[in-house]
């Protein structure tokens, strides 16, 4: 309640001064406050405006962070597919930036999104690897535990088993941030594919019919794109592209 009028004043001052970055930042913080207040529609509008502002001035790091906030707003309104696409977009931006903090926030967004929809072994590995990366960065656990997605991730860890997560965390110190990002995308891809498979399992499954994502990959192959280019276009890993093509063949 106290922060909102201050942020609105900052927004008005930034707009009056013609400060594009300050305007985008105030919008982002107002969007975050709206998420905490569970006003997800307002949060989405504010964060979309903030993202557009960062995009115009070319601040990719701030744009990726705003997109990860936007993930929460759209997911809470039932747009799970768009939320997953926003996470992929943030990871695609961070391939160039190699920002460790964005890797950890993105991995946490993936864990929060997928829950138990993905393979438990992969989810456990991702949780352990991300905890190890946070420790290496000096990210205070007490701060992380106040994040909006933390309760869901903590509950997921409890279901997986602390012993398994601890073992994965020990193993995680050997992995690079790039490998954490790669595993995050693999877990997200797997959860995305699990939804259509569950939906199809109770229905007549005609032989030879491709999934929407397989059709999309096939169209891009027909355009002459390489696996790497397709992965970049769809914000997925090359391994996922190869898996889709194997299914198509």
């Amino acid at each position: 309640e106290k922060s909102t009028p201050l942020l609105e004043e900052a927004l008005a001052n930034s707009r009056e001064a013609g400060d594009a970055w300050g305007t985008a930042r105030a919008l982002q913080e107002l969007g975050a406050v709206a998420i905490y207040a569970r006003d997800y529609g307002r949060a989405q509008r504010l964060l979309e405006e903030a993202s557009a502002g960062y995009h115009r001035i070319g601040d990719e790091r701030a744009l990726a962070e705003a997109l990860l906030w936007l993930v929460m707003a759209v997911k809470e309104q039932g747009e799970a597919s768009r939320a997953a696409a926003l996470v992929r977009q943030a990871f695609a931006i961070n391939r160039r930036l190699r920002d460790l903090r964005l890797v950890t926030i993105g991995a946490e967004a993936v864990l929060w999104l997928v829950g138990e929809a993905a393979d438990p072994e992969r989810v456990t590995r991702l949780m352990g690897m991300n905890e190890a990366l946070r420790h290496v960065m000096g990210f205070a656990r007490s701060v992380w535990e106040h994040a909006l997605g933390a309760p869901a991730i903590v509950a997921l860890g409890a279901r997986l088993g602390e012993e398994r997560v601890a073992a994965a965390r020990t193993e995680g110190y050997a992995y690079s941030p790039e490998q954490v990002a790669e595993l995050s995308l693999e877990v997200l891809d797997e959860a995305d594919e699990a939804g259509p498979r569950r939906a199809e399992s109770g229905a007549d499954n005609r032989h030879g019919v491709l999934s929407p994502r397989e059709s999309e990959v096939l169209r891009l192959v027909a355009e002459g794109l390489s696996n790497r280019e397709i992965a970049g276009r769809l914000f997925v890993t090359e391994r996922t592209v190869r898996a889709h093509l194997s299914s198509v063949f």
Side-chain angles (χ1 to χ4, degrees):
E1 292 80 1
K2 292 180 181 179
S3 63
T4 299
L6 293 169
L7 287 167
E8 287 174 344
E9 183 181 357
L11 176 60
N13 289 342
S14 294
R15 281 177 166 159
E16 184 179 354
D19 180 355
W21 188 90
T23 297
R25 185 67 184 188
L27 288 165
Q28 177 183 327
E29 298 296 348
L30 280 167
V33 168
I35 289 175
Y36 275 99
R38 292 181 167 79
D39 188 351
Y40 300 117
R42 181 169 187 264
Q44 180 174 340
R45 292 190 297 273
L46 290 164
L47 290 163
E48 285 175 341
E49 189 177 351
S51 300
Y54 289 136
H55 179 72
R56 281 193 297 272
I57 62 180
D59 189 337
E60 290 193 313
R61 181 173 282 99
L63 171 58
E65 186 177 336
L67 292 173
L68 291 170
W69 275 108
L70 184 56
V71 166
M72 300 196 78
V74 300
K75 171 64 165 56
E76 291 292 352
Q77 295 181 94
E79 299 183 66
S81 295
R82 187 186 174 201
L86 289 167
V87 172
R88 291 192 181 93
Q89 188 178 349
F91 270 113
I93 292 169
N94 201 35
R95 282 181 189 142
R96 297 186 292 275
L97 301 176
R98 300 167 66 88
D99 186 293
L100 300 185
R101 182 169 172 271
L102 287 174
V103 172
T104 65
I105 297 172
E108 286 153 18
V110 169
L111 290 167
W112 178 75
L113 277 174
V114 305
E116 295 182 333
D119 174 56
E121 290 301 320
R122 285 182 184 272
V123 170
T124 304
R125 279 186 64 220
L126 178 57
M127 188 172 292
M129 289 166 68
N130 200 45
E131 285 189 17
L133 181 57
R134 280 205 310 270
H135 184 257
V136 168
M137 291 170 58
F139 199 154
R141 184 172 181 83
S142 59
V143 174
W144 177 81
E145 287 174 346
H146 285 84
L148 281 170
I153 298 173
V154 169
L156 177 60
R159 287 195 295 273
L160 293 168
E162 176 56 34
E163 190 174 325
R164 290 171 66 190
V165 175
R169 182 168 55 246
T170 300
E171 179 190 353
Y173 286 103
Y175 290 91
S176 67
E178 290 78 14
Q179 287 171 305
V180 177
E182 184 83 1
L183 180 59
S184 297
L185 289 171
E186 288 177 9
V187 168
L188 190 58
D189 293 344
E190 185 177 65
D192 274 0
E193 287 301 304
R197 285 199 300 269
R198 285 194 298 269
E200 291 169 2
S201 63
D204 291 333
N205 197 5
R206 292 169 296 163
H207 177 70
V209 177
L210 303 180
S211 73
R213 181 47 66 94
E214 289 167 352
S215 297
E216 193 172 16
V217 169
L218 190 56
R219 281 195 297 271
L220 293 174
V221 170
E223 291 178 18
L225 274 66
S226 67
N227 287 1
R228 179 181 290 274
E229 290 168 333
I230 293 171
R233 180 80 65 87
L234 300 179
F235 305 124
V236 299
T237 65
E238 286 187 68
R239 176 177 174 172
T240 297
V241 173
R242 291 194 296 271
H244 287 311
L245 289 175
S246 294
S247 179
V248 168
F249 296 149

